[in-house]
Amino acid sequence: MTFEILFVLAGLVCMLAALIMDKMRPGIVLLSLVVVYMAAGIITPAQMVAGFSNRGMITVGLLFLVSEGIRQSGALGAVVKRLLPREGASVAGAQLRILPIVSAFSAFLNNTPVVVIFAPIIKNWARRVGLPCTKFLIPLSYATILGGLCTLIGTSTNLVVHGMMLDRGMEGLKMFDLAYIGIPVTVAGLAYILIASKRLLPAERPDNIEEEEAEAGEASGKHVVEVVLASRFPGLKRKLKNFDFKRRYGAEVKEIRQGGQVITKNLGEVRLQEGDTLVVVADEAFTRTWGDSSVFLMMTNGSEIPSRPVAAWKKWTALALLLIMIAGATVGELPAVKERFPGVRMDMFFFAAVTAVLMAWLKIFPPKKYTKYISWDILITIACAFAISAAMEESGLAALIAGFIKGVSGSLGAWGALAALYLVTLLITELVTNNAAAALAFPLALETAAKFGVDPMPFFIAICIAASAGFATPIGYQTNLIVQGAGNYRFTDFLKIGLPMDLIVMAISVSLIPMVWPFTPLN
């Protein structure tokens, strides 16, 4: 084992430890490691910055704007309100009406805004009809994850793998390539949720909302609001007593839900974290001012949060642009279209760029505020992961690990290696972050395929699925983190229902992938 391999491996171990401890944002953790690798001569400055110009990474940024346009148009909220039954609904019946539609939307939109839109509506509806919201919020998150497995744009991890394939001169993924695996997985996953949620999801745990609402009612114009802290909230990692929430936002914190715990005493000593749910007492000005702010991921007050009125033409235009983007990117990959327009590659990058700009021109989202709708930390994480992937290849670490994977697969051959790679990628995404998992697993997939002398496509598909299928922990996927506080879930709630889901998705994926993409020997 060479010094370069040991150096890169030590850096990866430190990176994973820093991400698990959550002392800094993932973007700065990965950027720090990339700078260390560059300073040590493992990668060149050009390799360090190559990820920032990758088409897959830029497509992710453009799709943040497209998703924001759909969110601000109000089209999704109108759809889910029509789906929710009025009275006398059962949990299973309501899930059957809601979850397939959620998965369908999530296949074409960023998962986070789908959950941010649907979660407060579903939570308020559940309270009105007397059903426990805990039976709906984890299923909502899981349905968005499952839907994201079905298309190229369903989740950013798919675009990361796609971008890395393009970097190496490969064809890349088409819009519906992943549907061959994603649709069976989604059907099986939703069926599992319908069967298992009754037993494995908790009944709604008592909270202090009604009591706090009564107290707030004594003060004129005051009511209780629940907010979920976003990555841009300025008080992250700080104790509440040192942040002065009331002065900044005009609201008083009464309760904090963090990591499945409900904290009502010594609130000043609590160190605020991304994904925490704060129960605050505020007036109407609070929801008007901060309801659409990027410092809060989600806001609900037991009734409909008033939103700015949106012209009907904007709703229909936003949906039309989304459909044109999907259809255009699908048709644009056809051989006849490529032959007809040889100078322009009309892929997802092309149509996402056109759609985002048209939405800005039409003011479907405020063009002057476009930068706040992009999750820059995710983009930096993706770009730096490309450089880390290059370091793994340049040092020989990827080849070494691929050799180990081949060794442990034994008589199972390439199929066993596929299962091992899936498991490694899944473990990283459950403990760290999905985009980093995809980028770190990519060179392993490439080298493992080379060890067996087969087409790497089955291994690429496996890491696309595994990097997004984080069901067993709240930190495995951002949507899980959002619903954890909103539903007052504990870590074990995700483990009980999510671990079997992980195994179901893995079994189906590892079984079907070689049938669709055989281990074809390379010439």
Side-chain angles (χ1 to χ4, degrees), residues 343-382:
V344 181
R345 178 161 184 169
M346 290 191 287
D347 57 1
M348 178 47 62
F349 172 80
F350 177 90
F351 282 97
V354 172
T355 302
V357 169
L358 286 175
M359 284 185 167
W361 287 354
L362 296 170
K363 296 187 177 180
I364 293 175
F365 62 80
K368 290 185 177 180
K369 299 180 181 179
Y370 80 98
T371 55
K372 84 173 199 175
Y373 306 127
I374 297 173
S375 181
W376 297 103
D377 187 74
I378 289 178
L379 297 188
I380 292 171
T381 298
I382 293 171

Side-chain angles (χ1 to χ4, degrees), residues 133-134 136-143 201 480 483 489 493-494 497:
C133 71
T134 48
F136 294 96
L137 295 182
I138 281 181
L140 170 66
S141 178
Y142 285 4
L201 286 175
N480 289 349
V483 300
Y489 293 110
D493 294 330
F494 285 90
I497 194 169

Side-chain angles (χ1 to χ4, degrees), residues 15 39 60 110 162 172 179 185 197 209 252 372 377 479 481 498 518 520:
M15 179 198 75
V60 172
N110 185 280
H162 173 71
V185 162
S197 58
I209 297 294
E252 184 179 359
K372 84 173 199 175
D377 187 74
T479 55
L481 199 62
T520 307

